[in-house]
Amino acid sequence: MAKKMITCDGNQAAAHIAYMFSEVAAIYPITPSSTMAEYVDEWAAQGRKNIFNETVLVQEMQSEGGAAGAVHGSLQAGALTTTFTASQGLLLMIPNMYKIAGELLPCVFHVSARTLASHSLCIFGDHQDVMACRQTGFAMLAEGSVQEVMDLAGVAHLATIKSRVPFVNFFDGFRTSHEIQKIEALENEDLAKLIDQQALKEFRERALNPNKPVARGMAENPDTFFTHREICNKYYDAVPDIVAEYMDEISKITGREYKPFTYYGAADAENIIIAMGSVTEAIKEVIDYLTAKGEKVGLVSVHLYRPFSVKYLGAVLPETVKRIAVLDRTKEPGATGEPLYMDIVEAFANEQLKTEIPSFNIGPINFGFTPSLNGNYWLLIVPVLTFVVYFFSMKISKKFTYQATTNEQAPGAGCSSAMMDFYMPAMSTVFSFMVPGAIGIYLGFRSVLSTIKQFIMSKVMPLPKFTEEDYKNAEREMNGKSKTKKSSSGTGEK
């Protein structure tokens, strides 16, 4: 297929792709993102068709907060929806972003990143606005040029459908959003075949429907809330591989290589820069100049910023690297470092920590891992031993502690005691599946020591032995004291 070349800016490239994958666009203008919404509105008025052979429904709201709320509602109705924003406009969308991400609704927010007003207003590009959304649960995909926007915006739309994780697709305001370049365009037929139709079908089936009523957005107490919150981890763990898969597909179509992190420079580089956004294009020119002079330098361009994948970062780093400079395009006053810098530091710190984690190897078993039915089968011996040790420890301990006789027990107490004989060991066994095997061994060993301690105490300070006659005498004595109290109270002065 012959390549189609167009002359456009970054906003038009993003809008071109967004229109393909959207059924609804909820918009509100803010510089420098406004022209993205204008293009989509214009194309819809002209009757342009998207990948699904439909005209996009465009609705301008009263504010960015309203636009984000409309996106949320449209997604719950089963329509693929997008919006476009920047700067303070993106911040007004954050409350809805938490809901959209928490409910795993696939969508893409296209953002031409712009400075946030602090000591003064500035409409030009840095990453303060998108960095304020790191904690919302949105995946974040960055581009550094107009061509990259055309190529990778589609990756955001394809990946969100398959992964269910919403995306912020961002590029630098003005520097990329308004830079005009002659680029290769992608068309509907290039990307339509890459859509995961099964994932799209499941998204539509989850739509709110009066014929299939469900309850959503309910209130939960802390015990269940955070348990449910943790369930989303598997979806985020899958995102880097899904993004890498679609980047490979785009690379096959365009001939341009894309990965979550891409490397440019000398294969034996000792000094490298890690950065994202439009600055990477300027850095590449500097690298070309320096490598021509024989210097060993390189650049790692960050595309998939969230979820941050140490695996894909490590895959592109030259083994010869000695020094790394991380260039952030934002400011976090009071922080020990800016966001990208801290992510890189943590990535290397974690890699270093892996060699310092204590090893609990006993023969073929590493007790530093957690017992699991999906792996580490040798460690399943720990939960079994935990149950056996706790069960017999409780049985033995009863022999060295006072136990009420049958006559003294309340009705049903015997049954309750028998249940506890199994309940406590069972709970300990469940707990042993949640901690490393070494801790399970420690808890079992502690139980054995506790039993030994009770045995020794029973020999040093044995419990007194009472006969049936002793119990009767004690009962008569107690009854006598009770009668004496009653008679003395009856003869008191009036």
Side-chain angles (χ1 to χ4, degrees), residues 261-272 296-301 316-318 321:
F261 297 83
T262 57
Y263 179 74
Y264 185 89
D268 58 349
E270 296 180 354
N271 303 312
I272 68 168
K296 299 177 180 180
V297 294
L299 163 72
V300 174
S301 298
V316 300
L317 281 175
V321 171

mmCIF file of all heavy atoms in Angstrom, residues 261-272 296-301 316-318 321:
data_model
loop_
_atom_site.group_PDB
_atom_site.id
_atom_site.type_symbol
_atom_site.label_atom_id
_atom_site.label_comp_id
_atom_site.label_asym_id
_atom_site.label_seq_id
_atom_site.Cartn_x
_atom_site.Cartn_y
_atom_site.Cartn_z
ATOM 1 N N PHE A 261 10.247 1.718 25.844
ATOM 2 C CA PHE A 261 11.430 2.572 25.957
ATOM 3 C C PHE A 261 12.269 2.317 24.706
ATOM 4 O O PHE A 261 12.523 1.170 24.359
ATOM 5 C CB PHE A 261 12.267 2.237 27.201
ATOM 6 C CG PHE A 261 11.557 2.455 28.507
ATOM 7 C CD1 PHE A 261 10.711 1.485 29.018
ATOM 8 C CD2 PHE A 261 11.754 3.618 29.235
ATOM 9 C CE1 PHE A 261 10.059 1.673 30.231
ATOM 10 C CE2 PHE A 261 11.103 3.811 30.444
ATOM 11 C CZ PHE A 261 10.257 2.845 30.944
ATOM 12 N N THR A 262 12.695 3.367 24.033
ATOM 13 C CA THR A 262 13.522 3.191 22.838
ATOM 14 C C THR A 262 14.899 3.798 23.084
ATOM 15 O O THR A 262 15.041 4.824 23.761
ATOM 16 C CB THR A 262 12.881 3.853 21.603
ATOM 17 O OG1 THR A 262 12.658 5.248 21.877
ATOM 18 C CG2 THR A 262 11.555 3.192 21.278
ATOM 19 N N TYR A 263 15.915 3.141 22.510
ATOM 20 C CA TYR A 263 17.296 3.609 22.682
ATOM 21 C C TYR A 263 17.811 4.159 21.375
ATOM 22 O O TYR A 263 17.561 3.627 20.293
ATOM 23 C CB TYR A 263 18.204 2.472 23.162
ATOM 24 C CG TYR A 263 19.634 2.914 23.319
ATOM 25 C CD1 TYR A 263 20.024 3.719 24.385
ATOM 26 C CD2 TYR A 263 20.604 2.564 22.366
ATOM 27 C CE1 TYR A 263 21.332 4.165 24.514
ATOM 28 C CE2 TYR A 263 21.909 2.995 22.491
ATOM 29 C CZ TYR A 263 22.273 3.803 23.563
ATOM 30 O OH TYR A 263 23.565 4.244 23.679
ATOM 31 N N TYR A 264 18.579 5.256 21.481
ATOM 32 C CA TYR A 264 19.192 5.888 20.316
ATOM 33 C C TYR A 264 20.606 6.299 20.701
ATOM 34 O O TYR A 264 20.812 6.982 21.711
ATOM 35 C CB TYR A 264 18.387 7.129 19.906
ATOM 36 C CG TYR A 264 18.854 7.803 18.632
ATOM 37 C CD1 TYR A 264 18.346 7.423 17.404
ATOM 38 C CD2 TYR A 264 19.805 8.828 18.671
ATOM 39 C CE1 TYR A 264 18.765 8.042 16.228
ATOM 40 C CE2 TYR A 264 20.234 9.448 17.514
ATOM 41 C CZ TYR A 264 19.715 9.047 16.285
ATOM 42 O OH TYR A 264 20.130 9.650 15.137
ATOM 43 N N GLY A 265 21.588 5.862 19.914
ATOM 44 C CA GLY A 265 22.960 6.262 20.205
ATOM 45 C C GLY A 265 23.933 5.123 20.039
ATOM 46 O O GLY A 265 23.640 4.094 19.404
ATOM 47 N N ALA A 266 25.109 5.273 20.626
ATOM 48 C CA ALA A 266 26.183 4.297 20.499
ATOM 49 C C ALA A 266 25.833 3.008 21.240
ATOM 50 O O ALA A 266 25.276 3.049 22.347
ATOM 51 C CB ALA A 266 27.485 4.880 21.037
ATOM 52 N N ALA A 267 26.165 1.872 20.626
ATOM 53 C CA ALA A 267 25.868 0.580 21.247
ATOM 54 C C ALA A 267 26.677 0.376 22.521
ATOM 55 O O ALA A 267 26.258 -0.373 23.410
ATOM 56 C CB ALA A 267 26.149 -0.543 20.260
ATOM 57 N N ASP A 268 27.841 1.023 22.600
ATOM 58 C CA ASP A 268 28.705 0.890 23.781
ATOM 59 C C ASP A 268 28.727 2.174 24.602
ATOM 60 O O ASP A 268 29.742 2.528 25.216
ATOM 61 C CB ASP A 268 30.126 0.508 23.364
ATOM 62 C CG ASP A 268 30.741 1.531 22.399
ATOM 63 O OD1 ASP A 268 29.993 2.401 21.897
ATOM 64 O OD2 ASP A 268 31.967 1.464 22.152
ATOM 65 N N ALA A 269 27.596 2.866 24.642
ATOM 66 C CA ALA A 269 27.523 4.163 25.338
ATOM 67 C C ALA A 269 27.841 4.024 26.817
ATOM 68 O O ALA A 269 27.408 3.069 27.477
ATOM 69 C CB ALA A 269 26.151 4.776 25.152
ATOM 70 N N GLU A 270 28.582 4.971 27.335
ATOM 71 C CA GLU A 270 28.887 5.030 28.763
ATOM 72 C C GLU A 270 28.072 6.119 29.460
ATOM 73 O O GLU A 270 27.797 6.016 30.651
ATOM 74 C CB GLU A 270 30.386 5.289 28.971
ATOM 75 C CG GLU A 270 31.268 4.157 28.453
ATOM 76 C CD GLU A 270 32.746 4.440 28.673
ATOM 77 O OE1 GLU A 270 33.078 5.566 29.128
ATOM 78 O OE2 GLU A 270 33.564 3.543 28.395
ATOM 79 N N ASN A 271 27.685 7.156 28.725
ATOM 80 C CA ASN A 271 26.887 8.259 29.263
ATOM 81 C C ASN A 271 25.582 8.348 28.480
ATOM 82 O O ASN A 271 25.609 8.466 27.243
ATOM 83 C CB ASN A 271 27.644 9.582 29.144
ATOM 84 C CG ASN A 271 28.991 9.544 29.837
ATOM 85 O OD1 ASN A 271 29.089 9.105 30.978
ATOM 86 N ND2 ASN A 271 30.038 9.979 29.147
ATOM 87 N N ILE A 272 24.462 8.284 29.182
ATOM 88 C CA ILE A 272 23.182 8.358 28.477
ATOM 89 C C ILE A 272 22.248 9.344 29.186
ATOM 90 O O ILE A 272 22.425 9.666 30.358
ATOM 91 C CB ILE A 272 22.486 6.983 28.385
ATOM 92 C CG1 ILE A 272 22.033 6.499 29.757
ATOM 93 C CG2 ILE A 272 23.360 5.957 27.686
ATOM 94 C CD1 ILE A 272 21.088 5.311 29.698
ATOM 95 N N LYS A 296 30.966 8.165 23.360
ATOM 96 C CA LYS A 296 30.060 7.048 23.654
ATOM 97 C C LYS A 296 28.860 7.558 24.455
ATOM 98 O O LYS A 296 28.853 7.542 25.687
ATOM 99 C CB LYS A 296 30.807 5.968 24.423
ATOM 100 C CG LYS A 296 31.996 5.377 23.650
ATOM 101 C CD LYS A 296 32.741 4.353 24.477
ATOM 102 C CE LYS A 296 33.921 3.787 23.698
ATOM 103 N NZ LYS A 296 34.676 2.767 24.479
ATOM 104 N N VAL A 297 27.856 8.025 23.739
ATOM 105 C CA VAL A 297 26.684 8.611 24.376
ATOM 106 C C VAL A 297 25.416 8.026 23.767
ATOM 107 O O VAL A 297 25.429 7.468 22.663
ATOM 108 C CB VAL A 297 26.667 10.152 24.217
ATOM 109 C CG1 VAL A 297 27.823 10.779 24.974
ATOM 110 C CG2 VAL A 297 26.732 10.538 22.739
ATOM 111 N N GLY A 298 24.303 8.164 24.487
ATOM 112 C CA GLY A 298 23.035 7.629 23.992
ATOM 113 C C GLY A 298 21.845 8.255 24.694
ATOM 114 O O GLY A 298 22.005 9.037 25.646
ATOM 115 N N LEU A 299 20.650 7.894 24.231
ATOM 116 C CA LEU A 299 19.393 8.430 24.766
ATOM 117 C C LEU A 299 18.373 7.310 24.916
ATOM 118 O O LEU A 299 18.193 6.496 23.998
ATOM 119 C CB LEU A 299 18.827 9.492 23.815
ATOM 120 C CG LEU A 299 17.349 9.862 23.993
ATOM 121 C CD1 LEU A 299 17.150 10.670 25.276
ATOM 122 C CD2 LEU A 299 16.826 10.638 22.785
ATOM 123 N N VAL A 300 17.701 7.277 26.050
ATOM 124 C CA VAL A 300 16.538 6.418 26.232
ATOM 125 C C VAL A 300 15.308 7.311 26.230
ATOM 126 O O VAL A 300 15.160 8.168 27.116
ATOM 127 C CB VAL A 300 16.605 5.603 27.536
ATOM 128 C CG1 VAL A 300 15.290 4.841 27.755
ATOM 129 C CG2 VAL A 300 17.765 4.622 27.495
ATOM 130 N N SER A 301 14.443 7.122 25.236
ATOM 131 C CA SER A 301 13.190 7.882 25.163
ATOM 132 C C SER A 301 12.093 7.087 25.846
ATOM 133 O O SER A 301 11.880 5.907 25.532
ATOM 134 C CB SER A 301 12.800 8.142 23.704
ATOM 135 O OG SER A 301 13.786 8.916 23.059
ATOM 136 N N VAL A 316 16.617 -2.141 27.027
ATOM 137 C CA VAL A 316 17.242 -1.251 26.036
ATOM 138 C C VAL A 316 18.504 -0.572 26.555
ATOM 139 O O VAL A 316 19.224 0.063 25.780
ATOM 140 C CB VAL A 316 16.236 -0.167 25.556
ATOM 141 C CG1 VAL A 316 15.032 -0.814 24.915
ATOM 142 C CG2 VAL A 316 15.818 0.756 26.700
ATOM 143 N N LEU A 317 18.797 -0.688 27.840
ATOM 144 C CA LEU A 317 19.986 -0.033 28.396
ATOM 145 C C LEU A 317 21.247 -0.776 27.956
ATOM 146 O O LEU A 317 21.354 -1.989 28.144
ATOM 147 C CB LEU A 317 19.928 -0.007 29.918
ATOM 148 C CG LEU A 317 19.054 1.055 30.581
ATOM 149 C CD1 LEU A 317 19.026 0.828 32.085
ATOM 150 C CD2 LEU A 317 19.555 2.456 30.264
ATOM 151 N N PRO A 318 22.229 -0.068 27.375
ATOM 152 C CA PRO A 318 23.504 -0.726 27.062
ATOM 153 C C PRO A 318 24.190 -1.200 28.336
ATOM 154 O O PRO A 318 24.122 -0.534 29.374
ATOM 155 C CB PRO A 318 24.312 0.384 26.379
ATOM 156 C CG PRO A 318 23.295 1.392 25.925
ATOM 157 C CD PRO A 318 22.188 1.333 26.933
ATOM 158 N N VAL A 321 26.838 1.219 30.232
ATOM 159 C CA VAL A 321 26.469 2.505 30.823
ATOM 160 C C VAL A 321 27.126 2.682 32.197
ATOM 161 O O VAL A 321 27.076 1.805 33.047
ATOM 162 C CB VAL A 321 24.935 2.627 30.950
ATOM 163 C CG1 VAL A 321 24.560 3.859 31.762
ATOM 164 C CG2 VAL A 321 24.314 2.709 29.573
#
